[in-house]
Amino acid sequence: MDEPHIRGTTRRELLGGAAVVLGSPVLGLHGDPQSPQDPQNPQSPRDPQDPQDPSAQLPAGTCGGDYDPEYEQLLAAAEDVEVDETADRSLAPAKWTRPIRKRAKVTMRYRVRGNWLVGYHTGVDLAVPKGTPVYAVGSGVVVLASWSGSYGKAVTIKMSDSRYVVYGHLSRISVARGAKVKAGTRIGSSGSTGRTTGPHLHFEVRARRQYGSDVDPVKYLARHGLRL
């Protein structure tokens, strides 16, 4: 069911917009400018065992935070692209694939309630060892492939169905912005960059660019015959 509109704007969009205007860390979970594992990072993030840190209560291999003004501003400013499988031979439809081919433990399900800006986890977390290959689930165009605040090193792909898929906390990015990918294209390697409690892949699907427009990633893949 759609969110109720308030003078033409959804409640979720208002939440996201308000946080950008504030320009400050949300709920104390704002990501550092570099990864905790990056030797160039001059500062250490908040200790995951610190009882004052909300992420201290989260299980290992999950997100310490999901919303980040840095990432949201980057995504909002990214060039819009058209993804047309019928007109572009390089995007020829292929059988969809899971983002990680091996079975992985789900450490945080979608919409688990908690200290996130919209009140719940906006993706699904798959705990896998650092360096595990991560693949595009279907055809699309890379709109972001860079450091993305609390998401760490992340790749965001606009899919052929106009959904946006976010692959967060990567240790390595293997594609560049503007690249056309198909199901099975390797886009990077899993890791623990950004705000995390341990190595995992954060897999998130958005109906639009805005934070809070998330859809259930498990159901999204299920429509293409896939199970996480």
Side-chain angles (χ1 to χ4, degrees), residues 154-173:
V155 171
T156 303
I157 298 175
K158 183 178 181 181
M159 306 296 290
S160 58
D161 59 6
S162 296
R163 298 290 193 263
Y164 289 85
V165 176
V166 186
Y167 304 80
H169 310 302
L170 304 176
S171 62
R172 179 181 179 183
I173 294 174

Side-chain angles (χ1 to χ4, degrees), residues 9-23 67 72 117 210-211:
T9 306
T10 67
R11 178 176 177 273
R12 288 180 175 179
E13 291 170 342
L14 285 172
L15 284 170
V20 171
V21 172
L22 290 172
Y67 177 86
E72 300 304 329
L117 182 62
Q210 293 87 354
Y211 175 77

